[in-house]
Amino acid sequence: MATPAPTSPPKSVSPKPVSPKAVSPKSAGPSSPPEQSAGLDVTVHGDVTTTLHPELEAETYTESAYSDSEVGSYTTSLSSSVMHYRFENGRRYHSQSMTDTSYFLPNDEAENDRLDLNHHVLCLIQHGKLHAAPLDEPQKILDVGTGTGIWAIEMADLYPTAHVVGNDLSPIQPRWVPPNLTFEVDDVEKEWTHKPNSFDFVYVRYMVGSIKDWPRLLKQSFETVKPGGYVELLEPDSTLRCDDGSLPEDSALAQWGKLFTGGARGIGAPFDDTPNFSGYLRDAGFVDIKREIFKLPNSPWAKDPHMKEVGGYQMAAFIEGLEALSLFLFTTVHGMSVPEIDILLAQVRKDMKNKAIHTYFNLYRYVARKPEST
Ligand SMILES: C[S@@+](CC[C@H](N)C(=O)[O-])C[C@H]1O[C@@H](n2cnc3c(N)ncnc32)[C@H](O)[C@@H]1O
């Protein structure tokens, strides 16, 4: 099994103390004088490394409290790279310093609200469950591309003895979270730096359109999961479907569907790779691969009360997210202007609210296990 090379260590969201630089016990014995290393004094006593910060002396101030502008200046410098957000067409996007990928969705308040609403839809369609894998007292859980961190926060509450880690390109997660939860800024398309065989559960949700190399992501998941641990994916294929002919070919909604899937293909992260995940999971080494397909209605058109409720929330999330889902893909891939997009979206919203139109997406849930011995 390959050991991930620490090429791009995740950036911690909250400021952390500087890591002490340990020296090898060989380089200094118990009687050795303190060693000067990068401004730190490091003493090794047996196998205990003590790091001293000789520069830590209190300065004398005339004022008793730090001013807001002083506090602000630290936030500004901390946020310099990962929070160098891009602003395009009135929306905020992740920092380009984090990645060369072109993640197509914004990371602003409106998008975060949509993600939280989407979380509600996904919990509802799974009858309130946060996961399907048969977890038994998990100790470490990884949420890949955590978004607002809402799933990770609920998992940390559900499994208080587990440590949950959520990573993402953008540090948009709340600061005050359960003590057993950590958020990291990371690009999951790069080499993972987590220890091999260290997580009981790796969870991936709504990352289609973000990930260009799914086989690699699933291989890295396999390496990171402990023997006997699980990976789970919940991903739509994002092809607008209709079984009863109620979506006219020439409707704005049908046209939007084609532009949307074409746009994802255009940035090299196609939505329609989702049905192929069984093969990728098998190739990565997973066994007991279970695949379920849910029909996710885009409005409350279903007779069944549960599916009607799911469809109602999905419609709200879809309408709220329509601009975000379209802007980047339609301008960059299809060369459309913002006014052109606005006109199309106004018609699409009407179609989405039309009770006579019955569309849905296929939502795939995969659960797979890493064998005890590999
Ligand atoms: C559609 S959101 C889904 C968020 C969350 N998994 C959920 O289900 O609520 C996709 C998330 O993946 C993140 N993302 C996209 N590409 C990424 C990458 N290469 N590495 C890490 N995060 C990424 C985005 O910043 C965004 O928060």
Side-chain angles (χ1 to χ4, degrees):
M1 183 183 305
T3 306
T7 47
S8 61
K11 297 178 189 168
S12 171
V13 172
S14 48
K16 276 191 183 155
V18 176
S19 309
K21 277 206 165 128
V23 293
S24 135
K26 274 191 223 133
S27 61
S31 58
S32 312
E35 195 172 306
Q36 283 292 339
S37 162
L40 305 179
D41 277 355
V42 182
T43 335
V44 179
H45 297 284
D47 59 355
V48 178
T49 305
T50 309
T51 307
L52 303 172
H53 297 256
E55 72 281 15
L56 194 62
E57 257 180 56
E59 205 186 317
T60 315
Y61 293 106
T62 47
E63 297 293 327
S64 61
Y66 298 109
S67 69
D68 285 351
S69 66
E70 278 172 288
V71 176
S73 70
Y74 287 103
T75 320
T76 312
S77 81
L78 172 76
S79 45
S80 60
S81 65
V82 294
M83 288 166 86
H84 257 168
Y85 297 137
R86 285 154 36 229
F87 290 85
E88 279 172 26
N89 303 318
R91 303 296 301 253
R92 193 186 75 187
Y93 292 83
H94 69 81
S95 161
Q96 211 64 44
S97 74
M98 269 308 295
T99 178
D100 42 15
T101 85
S102 29
Y103 174 57
F104 75 103
L105 288 166
N107 70 357
D108 51 21
E109 285 283 309
E111 172 64 2
N112 296 348
D113 289 348
R114 182 188 77 87
L115 289 181
D116 287 351
L117 191 51
N118 197 47
H119 170 76
H120 182 66
V121 172
L122 299 178
C123 290
L124 208 54
I125 201 164
Q126 298 180 100
H127 299 277
K129 281 190 171 176
L130 287 174
H131 63 86
L135 303 185
D136 182 21
E137 298 187 12
Q139 290 159 14
K140 282 197 87 180
I141 296 171
L142 178 63
D143 183 20
V144 175
T146 192
T148 63
I150 191 166
W151 181 88
I153 292 169
E154 291 187 13
M155 284 296 277
D157 283 341
L158 184 63
Y159 295 105
T161 57
H163 185 81
V164 182
V165 178
N167 59 21
D168 203 282
L169 287 179
S170 290
I172 50 168
Q173 303 76 28
R175 290 202 168 211
W176 307 112
V177 293
N180 58 330
L181 169 61
T182 312
F183 289 123
E184 292 172 348
V185 177
D186 205 359
D187 180 351
V188 301
E189 292 245 80
K190 298 204 170 127
E191 197 82 25
W192 291 14
T193 52
H194 298 110
K195 266 193 9 212
N197 305 315
S198 58
F199 282 86
D200 301 272
F201 187 41
V202 170
Y203 190 67
V204 186
R205 189 177 79 177
Y206 268 60
M207 294 297 285
V208 280
S210 301
I211 302 302
K212 295 196 169 103
D213 191 346
W214 279 100
R216 180 169 186 232
L217 186 107
L218 296 175
K219 269 201 171 71
Q220 301 214 68
S221 303
F222 184 83
E223 284 160 8
T224 304
V225 167
K226 289 176 187 168
Y230 287 88
V231 66
E232 182 167 335
L233 300 114
L234 188 66
E235 296 290 346
D237 80 353
S238 302
T239 302
L240 209 53
R241 293 171 193 277
C242 175
D243 292 343
D244 62 3
S246 63
L247 179 67
E249 271 286 314
D250 58 354
S251 63
L253 184 54
Q255 194 196 340
W256 179 88
K258 287 184 196 132
L259 289 168
F260 186 55
T261 43
R265 250 178 253 128
I267 58 164
F271 294 131
D272 45 14
D273 213 6
T274 322
N276 305 323
F277 288 177
S278 309
Y280 301 158
L281 285 163
R282 199 175 315 109
D283 292 347
F286 286 105
V287 294
D288 294 345
I289 301 162
K290 292 197 179 68
R291 178 171 107 162
E292 289 160 278
I293 304 173
F294 298 85
K295 282 187 176 184
L296 178 58
N298 289 319
S299 55
W301 54 263
K303 264 200 206 123
D304 175 80
H306 176 242
M307 291 311 271
K308 186 182 257 328
E309 193 185 1
V310 170
Y313 284 108
Q314 166 70 0
M315 177 172 71
F318 201 168
I319 288 177
E320 195 169 317
L322 194 59
E323 184 192 77
L325 294 166
S326 315
L327 268 179
F328 181 81
L329 295 182
F330 291 14
T331 52
T332 54
V333 178
H334 300 302
M336 289 173 72
S337 69
V338 175
E340 257 182 299
I341 297 171
D342 285 345
I343 292 168
L344 173 69
L345 297 191
Q347 292 162 341
V348 173
R349 282 188 196 97
K350 267 193 199 154
D351 286 349
M352 282 174 161
K353 292 185 202 159
N354 184 340
K355 290 185 174 173
I357 296 181
H358 307 146
T359 68
Y360 66 92
F361 290 122
N362 275 343
L363 177 65
Y364 287 73
R365 183 167 74 186
Y366 291 92
V367 177
R369 187 173 61 81
K370 179 168 175 171
E372 292 295 341
S373 57
T374 54

